[in-house]
Amino acid sequence: MGDTLRFDGKVALVTGAGGGLGREYALALGARGAKVVVNDLGGDIKGGGASSRPADLVVEEIRSKGGVAVANYDSVEDGEKLVQTALDNFGQIDIVINNAGILRDRSFARISDMDWDIIHRVHLRGSFMVSRAAWPHMRKNKFGRIIMTTSAAGIYGNFGQANYSAAKLGMLGLSNTLAIEGAKNNVHCNTIAPIAGSRLTETVMPPDMIEALKPEYVMPLVLWLCHEDCEDSGKLYECGAGWMAALQWQRTKGVVVRKPGQPMTPEAVRDNWSAINDFSEYTNPSNIAEANATMYEAMTSMAEHAPSSNNTSAIEPDR
Ligand code: NAI
């Protein structure tokens, strides 16, 4: 076994760290030498109200064990303020764990604009605001570790969670691109889909399950992903109860449905439907170039009528 993983000299910001999973991350980082910004708005699970108490309690606990921590009570929607707390107190920001979250479960037939918007504001926009504020500092220091917290509801869908599923999978898309844009400056971004007993899940889980799914069983994965020795970026992990696994896209071999010189028809799609959906021979494209290569190959095989390559991913954006 290797040495203990330490975070001395690192500054970590954990959003929603006043309870549940975020509290575990903050306590563990504090115990292992990181200076920690404990952010929590202190509201209820639906996003109402505010209190400084949850963040204060975690800060006190870290300090009582000899660690260094400060509280921040702003909403993640004000990402700049959270990062400014790290800069003002510790002069840098190395680790961001986007963890704050609320729920507004509602079947799609009954969902309101507010149910949709507030979930997106806190989860997706909040993670964007916090990460964007930290980004230039991480790039400049040539070190950054960002965690996005998605959910099985986002990956697989879940009844009553259209708003939450959409926002949570949006965070995975954000993470995938941050991993690409951060690579050359050693800024990594990974996504976790945790499962844990907390105030968000205590109403839907029986007590023995809450007991078996302690937030402290998710913490080790998050700490490893935040450590300077971890080289992975742009990955997705499911984690709970001490079990963890990586997850990736899987694609069927695919079928060229168009025949050179002939019109392409819906009937041809129907007639090839089982082959199009046949996962017995699959691939796992891991980036956009690899994913598009198959299509370009098919395009070349139909060269007679192929359009010119128009790969939008190759367009150089303003940096
Ligand atoms: P929790 O409710 O115990 O912790 C979330 C914390 O975020 C709370 O302390 C809350 O005050 C804080 N918060 C809420 N809105 C905020 C805002 N706008 N700004 C700052 N802080 C805010 O819940 P839990 O279970 O620890 O969840 C943590 C994250 O994990 C959430 O993003 C949740 O969606 C995600 N998650 C949790 C799962 C579970 O099984 N517990 C499953 C899948 C995802």
Side-chain angles (χ1 to χ4, degrees):
M1 295 300 259
D3 297 335
T4 307
L5 294 171
R6 297 281 311 175
F7 293 85
D8 305 291
K10 297 284 189 273
V11 176
L13 161 61
V14 185
T15 74
L21 288 159
R23 176 176 168 273
E24 286 302 326
Y25 309 150
L27 292 175
L29 285 163
R32 286 167 180 262
K35 297 179 181 122
V36 187
V37 177
V38 176
N39 157 264
D40 208 289
L41 180 63
D44 62 33
I45 65 165
K46 292 188 165 185
S51 162
S52 56
R53 193 169 157 73
D56 283 342
L57 287 175
V58 175
V59 167
E60 271 169 38
E61 199 173 338
I62 293 172
R63 288 182 182 162
S64 72
K65 292 172 183 157
V68 179
V70 293
N72 169 281
Y73 319 116
D74 293 304
S75 169
V76 285
E77 295 167 79
D78 294 318
E80 297 276 351
K81 293 184 184 166
L82 277 63
V83 171
Q84 200 57 48
T85 302
L87 300 176
D88 290 347
N89 286 277
F90 306 129
Q92 65 194 66
I93 177 82
D94 304 294
I95 295 166
V96 167
I97 303 179
N98 290 296
N99 165 81
I102 55 168
L103 286 176
R104 286 276 185 124
D105 291 2
R106 197 88 70 184
S107 69
F108 195 56
R110 297 180 56 224
I111 198 165
S112 69
D113 290 8
M114 184 59 175
D115 294 328
W116 180 268
D117 289 345
I118 193 172
I119 288 294
H120 277 73
R121 278 188 358 235
V122 172
H123 291 273
L124 183 52
R125 187 173 165 78
S127 302
F128 156 65
M129 294 297 279
V130 175
S131 305
R132 187 179 61 176
W135 195 252
H137 307 282
M138 292 178 165
R139 276 173 48 124
K140 198 166 123 231
N141 294 339
K142 300 260 182 283
F143 182 85
R145 295 289 183 268
I146 300 176
I147 302 293
M148 298 290 173
T149 308
T150 188
S151 163
I155 298 168
Y156 304 107
N158 197 22
F159 192 96
Q161 294 197 310
N163 49 357
Y164 183 74
S165 308
K168 282 305 205 188
L169 210 57
M171 291 173 69
L172 176 63
L174 175 60
S175 176
N176 289 341
T177 290
L178 295 195
I180 292 167
E181 293 194 12
K184 77 168 188 279
N185 289 309
N186 189 26
V187 179
H188 296 177
C189 188
N190 288 290
T191 304
I192 60 151
I195 175 151
S198 74
R199 68 177 196 166
L200 283 188
T201 48
E202 69 191 0
T203 51
V204 291
M205 282 181 190
D208 55 332
M209 223 170 147
I210 297 271
E211 184 57 27
L213 295 170
K214 289 193 171 74
E216 65 202 63
Y217 301 148
V218 175
M219 173 276 288
L221 170 66
V222 171
L223 260 68
W224 167 239
L225 291 172
C226 289
H227 198 267
E228 59 193 354
D229 290 352
C230 180
E231 289 174 3
D232 283 291
S233 189
K235 299 280 179 65
L236 168 64
Y237 301 91
E238 291 181 274
C239 180
W243 169 87
M244 59 194 72
L247 194 66
Q248 64 184 355
W249 293 103
Q250 192 175 87
R251 182 162 76 176
T252 64
K253 188 167 170 239
V255 179
V256 177
V257 174
R258 183 158 69 91
K259 297 274 178 294
Q262 289 178 24
M264 187 173 167
T265 63
E267 290 76 18
V269 176
R270 177 199 59 201
D271 297 343
N272 284 285
W273 198 232
S274 59
I276 292 166
N277 286 288
D278 179 5
F279 275 95
S280 59
E281 278 182 79
Y282 60 84
T283 57
N284 305 102
S286 61
N287 59 54
I288 197 164
E290 220 177 287
N292 285 347
T294 317
M295 201 167 331
Y296 295 143
E297 251 173 55
M299 203 168 78
T300 316
S301 77
M302 297 175 283
E304 194 191 342
H305 293 287
S308 64
S309 167
N310 179 23
N311 181 5
T312 51
S313 70
I315 293 170
E316 285 288 302
D318 295 339
R319 286 176 199 279

